[in-house]
Amino acid sequence: MIPDKAPEDDVFYGCQELQKEAHIPTFEKYKELYMKSIESPDEFWGDIAKDFFWKTKHSGPFLDYNMDVTKGEIFIKFMEGATTNICYNLLDYNVHERKLGDKVAFHWEGNDPGDELTVTYRELLQRVCQFSNVLKSQGVKKGDRVSIYMPMVVELVVAMLACVRIGAVHSIVFAGFSAESLCERIMDSQCSLLITADGFYRGDKLINLKLLADEALQKCRDKGFPVRKCIMLKHLSVEESPLGSQSPPSKRPCPDLQVSWNPEVDLCWHTLMRDASDECEPEWCESEDPLFILYTSGSTGKPKGVLHSVSGYMLFTATTFKLVFDHQPDDIYWCTADIGWITGHSYITYGPLANGATSVLFEGLPTYPDVGRMWEIVDKYQVTKFYTAPTAIRMLMKYGPEPVQKYKRDSLKVLGTVGEPINPEAWQWYYNVVGEKRCPIVDTFWQTETGGHVLTPLPAATPMKPGSATFPFFGVVPAILNESGEELEGPSEGYLVFKQPWPSMMRTVYGNHPRFEATYFKKFPGYYVTGDGCRRDKDGYYWITGRIDDMLNVSGHLLSTAEVESALVEHDAVAEAAVVGRPHPVKGESLYCFVTLNEGVTFNRTLEAELRKQVREKIGAIATPDYIQDAPGLPKTRSGKIMRRVLRKIACDERDLGDISTLADSSVVDQLFKNRCCTSV
């Protein structure tokens, strides 16, 4: 959703109390360090690298790269020659060198109030070592890919760090995705093993995750790719055999949960862990060895396997977490994201643990069992730094300030937003009601591809403007280009690009480097192209104006219009489909779908429900269309190209269509306006 244009002079200043102990206490200090990060990157990142353990030191420059496709293959290399292990730095180093073994790593808060678990750094290290040995016992070795499809439980963190410890590459699939989406990602990354759970609750809704995993594995077999083994965590089920005898962590077990079991493929997490040693030497990895693959939607409809590597990602996520949230040793930090998305990778697992932080890990929903759940948790754990999505803020705004004000929230010091631009109205509510005008808001802009924050305020240093991501993080050099690729100076609006890489920038699209080059570097050689539009105001502040490619930002998650269109067209009744975004007061953007039916097919409620089900099954619930409109014809140019600009106008009931002289048949537009959907599901 394009943010409302807030007055550029509407500036808010951070809390003076924060400045007393802040890592970056003033804007002048920010500017000084920023220039150092750009002009002397080896010295800047070299100082940061001293806080980590290296088995062998790097040689040569910290950063070597080519981002110009006209000068050869695109590459980014950071700290070549160095060897380390991220799991060792996150756990062993914290336990043995920093003496944080008894410090809480995670307060797990389950879906239902009262479901809770506390895990220290020492306990987390022991569990990770055990599961590392489990993976090794199943033949997993360095470089192998492992797929993880789990709810928000501590074992999800254990599984991902166990992969990292032995040098395997994890590919986490959000537990809200469908069996088809899971199958597609398993096959693309050629995963040899799947880790999942029996099921979980989202509010009152029971999700049979094992059933979906079984469907995905069957689809893999049908396509000629059998996955060797599936390790299942018993989270809800209560059967004693063959699933083991350990009690499930949930206080709401589900005896009716049907869990199928294939002894040739399925293994029980608890049984395997009972026999596993809690000592496991880490695999020492090269800086540019692959760390993980995380899939994000692509404009072609086929998800892209974004690949991140070891050292650069570790240093950048650790540094952004420390400085953007101004992390202090006694903080209690809570990021409400799901680990299935990049926010959960970088700012629930890797960044916080690298800093020895104590975090809240939340399985539930912000509105269950009531709309005060988030603030109840803030008070319960005395959360000091809180990070959530604008979608959640807008949703809670609907209920007014009373559910917030029932709770003290006096522990809060810094608030953050992630996933999409926050509109100024939501920013003001967050600042005034949740933070009571004393907590700075860090409105962070970044992507799966960037690995960490690239545009962001620093809480004690940066004067804030509601709706603006403000200024670049250290080592990041943004620019705004026009359609011709010319850099624009001063106040301007155009394509947001970056002029040089930073340590955590993605290295490639897994298995398809030409796609990496074409997607991010071909349009404007010499620049990384974000796919977002941007405005820079007279004070140099950056404002993200939304996607400018064939992508939609729905509730902070990118969806490909082509992927949704492909799912719709697979239905026998549909001849053609076109999908556009329509502004939504909570989600930012909603999916508005135009479908042209085959001859003799009638559009009705039954068909509409079938199409929604089809998209859910192919992609996942997050992609469920909000609107589906009967479109006897689509507005096309004489060359046959669909004019999506016109469809967006129709979806929003805006009659000023601009220049439509290239339309092959203008009568199509009149019919589409007559057929408009006025209500969503």
Side-chain angles (χ1 to χ4, degrees), residues 63-82:
L63 196 60
D64 185 23
Y65 66 93
N66 171 45
M67 291 193 353
D68 191 338
V69 290
T70 66
K71 297 179 180 178
E73 184 175 279
I74 300 296
F75 69 88
I76 300 113
K77 298 176 181 178
F78 185 77
M79 292 186 71
E80 275 196 297

Side-chain angles (χ1 to χ4, degrees), residues 215-500:
E215 289 178 15
L217 294 182
Q218 184 59 52
K219 289 176 185 289
C220 289
R221 285 190 286 271
D222 292 344
K223 296 176 182 180
F225 184 76
V227 176
R228 291 202 315 265
K229 294 293 180 180
C230 174
I231 299 175
M232 190 201 79
L233 172 76
K234 187 174 67 169
H235 182 48
L236 296 182
S237 54
V238 296
E239 297 98 321
E240 295 300 325
S241 178
L243 306 181
S245 58
Q246 180 169 323
S247 298
S250 174
K251 291 187 178 179
R252 184 159 45 142
C254 184
D256 298 326
L257 181 64
Q258 298 298 312
V259 178
S260 60
W261 198 255
N262 179 351
E264 295 183 1
V265 175
D266 293 330
L267 299 164
C268 175
W269 173 293
H270 305 291
T271 302
L272 294 170
M273 288 286 275
R274 277 202 303 267
D275 300 326
S277 167
D278 62 4
E279 292 185 3
C280 179
E281 283 297 308
E283 182 77 29
W284 301 108
C285 300
E286 300 284 340
S287 280
E288 286 302 319
D289 280 347
L291 173 62
F292 66 80
I293 301 164
L294 184 58
Y295 285 85
T296 186
S297 290
S299 58
T300 63
K302 179 177 172 56
K304 304 185 295 285
V306 171
L307 187 139
H308 284 287
S309 58
V310 174
S311 296
Y313 179 83
M314 177 175 72
L315 261 64
F316 199 77
T317 53
T319 307
T320 47
F321 176 80
K322 177 180 178 179
L323 301 183
V324 173
F325 299 106
D326 192 49
H327 174 69
Q328 303 295 335
D330 58 350
D331 276 335
I332 306 296
Y333 164 81
W334 182 18
C335 171
T336 68
D338 191 289
I339 291 178
W341 306 107
I342 188 62
T343 302
H345 281 57
S346 298
Y347 299 114
I348 292 179
T349 302
Y350 290 106
L353 291 177
N355 283 275
T358 295
S359 299
V360 175
L361 184 66
F362 181 46
E363 184 190 28
L365 295 171
T367 55
Y368 179 84
D370 58 60
V371 296
R373 182 74 187 279
M374 293 170 90
W375 321 121
E376 183 223 345
I377 294 172
V378 166
D379 280 2
K380 177 178 179 178
Y381 296 107
Q382 290 295 286
V383 172
T384 55
K385 312 291 170 68
F386 179 73
Y387 196 34
T388 195
T391 296
I393 297 165
R394 289 192 294 265
M395 177 175 58
L396 295 171
M397 280 174 64
K398 297 189 305 181
Y399 301 98
E402 290 80 13
V404 183
Q405 293 168 347
K406 280 174 57 180
Y407 300 93
K408 291 182 178 179
R409 295 159 289 110
D410 51 7
S411 59
L412 289 172
K413 295 181 179 179
V414 175
L415 303 175
T417 65
V418 59
E420 59 187 304
I422 182 170
N423 55 302
E425 181 187 10
W427 192 101
Q428 294 271 11
W429 189 85
Y430 198 27
Y431 181 78
N432 293 325
V433 177
V434 177
E436 295 181 326
K437 302 183 180 181
R438 57 183 172 75
C439 300
I441 295 175
V442 288
D443 176 3
T444 60
F445 170 78
W446 58 298
Q447 303 170 313
T448 303
E449 296 89 338
T450 72
H453 306 140
V454 286
L455 299 177
T456 177
L458 300 178
T462 310
M464 303 164 290
K465 293 188 179 185
S468 171
T470 69
F471 298 101
F473 190 74
F474 302 115
V476 177
V477 184
I480 296 177
L481 306 184
N482 63 17
E483 190 64 48
S484 301
E486 300 166 326
E487 284 194 32
L488 304 175
E489 302 297 331
S492 51
E493 187 166 348
Y495 292 86
L496 175 64
V497 300
F498 294 108
K499 300 172 70 169
Q500 65 186 47

